Amino acid sequence: MERYTRSNNMRELIRDNALLLPAISRFDIAFGFGDSPLSEVCNKNNVDVSTFLCVCNLLSGYQYNIDDISLTSLIGYLKRAHSFFLDVSIPRIRRNLIEAIHCTDTNEVTLLLVKFFDNYVEEVRKHMEYENEVVFRYVERLLDNNLDSQFGIDKFSGNHNHMAAKLNELKDIFIYHYKPKESARLSAVLFDIIMCERDLISHFEVENKLFIPAVKKIEKALRQSAENASGKITSDDAEADDASETLSTREKDVVRGVALGKSNKEIAEMLFISVHTVTTHRKNISAKLGIHSPAGLTIYAILNNIVDINEVTPA
């Protein structure tokens, strides 16, 4: 198939890509849909068919179009995915993991492996709860035409990741370094970990390629509407805003730190990120702007209203 359309039925989608089953359930579509076309199944289950098709086409590697996405429908999908990871998939892996390693080891290695996994679970929980309680609520306010001047989707996207790296690390520890006496149960757990890892990456793709761009479109429209209503923005101000938009919100924060004369370590402490992350941001900023010196970045920050000239201490 080249892409899924409204005239396809669920049987055709599942035959083409059985890994779409989790996506179907995350749209809260009841099974037993027979051979009805997608449009009919989605309407019966109160699901926006354009959003459903967009997600399924993305996950299957086909062409997709975000123009007709319903963010309300997509947020519901993402919330149900979070519930699946936190309440079903990850707890099941933990139970099976404990059973598998207790069958082979009773020493401190077992405790260390379980602690490693539990620390990872806590990171995932905090990440997804932040999305549920902060990011999604922000978008719901946007949908009510309430633009928040203190928060933007760039603040989320700048630090967004798929949360699968540590799970992959745990998998590699078992495969390449752990020597169990009996490996059948452990192999089953590792398979579950691999599938969960893939699922998390697919979930990240939906957020990164569908959710975030759709939110940016709404933000841009609301800002433009507010600017037109206020009539306060001059053409010079608009040009400055366009120039500064080449940087993400986090990159602008780093530029501001540089303009204020702070070291990478001080910027990291100010933004609650690692020094390595600050260094990476600075490399990306230099690549985008073609400006490499602190003095040049300071001038850029002043010209683009990232920092006030009175805040800058002359060198």
Side-chain angles (χ1 to χ4, degrees), residues 198-212:
R198 291 182 179 180
D199 201 1
L200 282 166
I201 292 173
S202 295
H203 178 73
F204 168 81
E205 290 289 286
V206 171
E207 291 183 326
N208 210 41
K209 294 183 177 180
L210 304 183
F211 176 70
I212 292 173

Side-chain angles (χ1 to χ4, degrees), residues 254 258 262-269 274-275 278-279 282:
V254 172
V258 173
K262 296 183 181 295
S263 65
N264 284 358
K265 184 175 183 297
E266 290 170 329
I267 294 172
E269 291 171 351
S274 69
V275 176
V278 173
T279 303
R282 290 193 65 169

Side-chain angles (χ1 to χ4, degrees), residues 144-199:
D144 288 332
N145 295 321
N146 295 318
L147 187 62
D148 189 341
S149 60
Q150 302 300 315
F151 187 85
I153 199 64
D154 280 341
K155 283 192 175 180
F156 166 65
S157 62
N159 295 303
H160 187 222
N161 65 77
H162 52 58
M163 301 299 293
K166 200 166 185 178
L167 198 59
N168 182 62
E169 186 178 333
L170 177 65
K171 177 195 68 180
D172 285 351
I173 288 172
F174 280 114
I175 293 175
Y176 300 112
H177 305 289
Y178 190 66
K179 298 178 180 179
K181 299 171 185 174
E182 185 268 317
S183 60
R185 296 188 188 201
L186 188 57
S187 294
V189 176
L190 290 176
F191 181 79
D192 287 343
I193 289 175
I194 291 169
M195 295 307 295
C196 183
E197 177 190 355
R198 291 182 179 180
D199 201 1

